[in-house]
Amino acid sequence: NAGVTQTPKFQVLKTGQSMTLQCAQDMNHNSMYWYRQDPGMGLRLIYYSASEGTTDKGEVPNGYNVSRLNKREFSLRLESAAPSQTSVYFCASSFEDRAGNTIYFGEGSWLTVV
Amino acid sequence: QQQVKQSPQSLIVQKGGISIINCAYENTAFDYFPWYQQFPGKGPALLIAIRPDVSEKKEGRFTISFNKSAKQFSLHIMDSQPGDSATYFCAASRRGSTLGRLYFGRGTQLTVWP
């Protein structure tokens, strides 16, 4: 059971370049997310998708776009990378039961913009 | 506005000691409070969670204490071990909301010295 898989794990970009982070989950979850993690800032939500075909902005959406390709896949695109986008990016998916909303994270993608 | 405030930012504990991490929230609609554990190079993973209808939940050496009137909850790690060294995030959400999205604290980096 792979859970949440995201690629690439490491990437170095030059300022102005574009790239797409790929994410797929095999847990049949409806909800998917992209977070970024920066030192001292915790996990900040970039975009989320409650279901296939829907996406919504989170706390820090500027400079990013997303696509919920199908129920399994949720990609994050940087159209024109900036040094401020140097971060660790986590894709996640979740289900909600009687207890609450349990989020499962991928292993992370380390992005450096020079 | 930060929905969940977490302290301390870093914590150093001797092996066998008690680690205590505190969180506070403002939104009284929150009714699910999980803690996530993150090891270096990995994504966060659910550690333990509590609902506000109980004041305490214990799983092994990990205990969540919840004070509804004070809008505070805390994680206690008893008999702390070097293997507990990780970053811990508290979070809060409201079940049944549009997405049930989690609001994370900024994290506490715990180091347990042998």
Side-chain angles (χ1 to χ4, degrees):
Chain A
N1 187 356
V4 179
T5 304
Q6 54 182 110
T7 58
K9 194 165 181 72
F10 300 98
Q11 183 72 49
V12 178
L13 285 179
K14 293 182 179 179
T15 297
Q17 284 185 319
S18 62
M19 78 158 295
T20 299
L21 298 175
Q22 307 286 352
C23 176
Q25 53 95 6
D26 62 2
M27 296 175 282
N28 202 36
H29 291 165
N30 286 321
S31 302
M32 296 188 73
Y33 313 77
W34 276 104
Y35 288 87
R36 60 178 289 174
Q37 183 176 19
D38 303 289
M41 297 301 293
L43 294 156
R44 292 184 293 171
L45 184 65
I46 305 171
Y47 270 93
Y48 60 95
S49 170
S51 62
E52 181 180 351
T54 67
T55 61
D56 286 285
K57 296 179 180 179
E59 302 167 64
V60 288
N62 291 345
Y64 305 95
N65 285 302
V66 291
S67 295
R68 183 72 182 269
L69 305 171
N70 48 56
K71 190 171 185 178
R72 290 185 65 249
E73 298 172 290
F74 189 38
S75 62
L76 178 72
R77 183 163 178 83
L78 286 69
E79 292 290 352
S80 179
S84 61
Q85 293 177 305
T86 293
S87 187
V88 183
Y89 292 85
F90 288 98
C91 178
S93 68
S94 75
F95 75 94
E96 184 167 345
D97 59 14
R98 288 178 53 211
N101 189 25
T102 301
I103 291 185
Y104 294 83
F105 287 87
E107 297 265 288
S109 296
W110 275 253
L111 176 65
T112 301
V113 183
V114 298
Chain B
Q1 182 184 354
Q2 197 176 353
Q3 298 274 354
V4 179
K5 295 183 179 179
Q6 182 173 347
S7 63
Q9 188 171 354
S10 63
L11 181 62
I12 300 174
V13 173
Q14 201 161 15
K15 178 182 176 182
I18 301 173
S19 303
I20 302 174
I21 304 170
N22 300 300
C23 286
Y25 64 98
E26 288 298 324
N27 189 343
T28 55
F30 288 150
D31 57 5
Y32 176 63
F33 303 90
W35 285 87
Y36 280 75
Q37 180 187 53
Q38 182 183 29
F39 292 109
K42 300 294 184 181
L46 179 66
L47 178 64
I48 187 173
I50 196 169
R51 289 169 51 184
D53 52 350
V54 297
S55 60
E56 186 177 282
K57 182 174 181 179
K58 184 177 181 179
E59 289 184 3
R61 294 183 295 107
F62 299 90
T63 300
I64 301 178
S65 297
F66 184 80
N67 186 329
K68 189 174 182 178
S69 61
K71 292 186 288 186
Q72 294 176 348
F73 58 111
S74 60
L75 177 69
H76 296 237
I77 306 174
M78 311 300 289
D79 187 26
S80 298
Q81 299 296 312
D84 297 330
S85 297
T87 300
Y88 292 81
F89 294 96
C90 62
S93 74
R94 179 168 64 91
R95 287 175 299 150
S97 60
T98 302
L99 195 68
R101 60 164 288 190
L102 286 175
Y103 294 88
F104 286 92
R106 292 191 174 180
T108 297
Q109 188 166 355
L110 171 65
T111 302
V112 182
W113 289 98

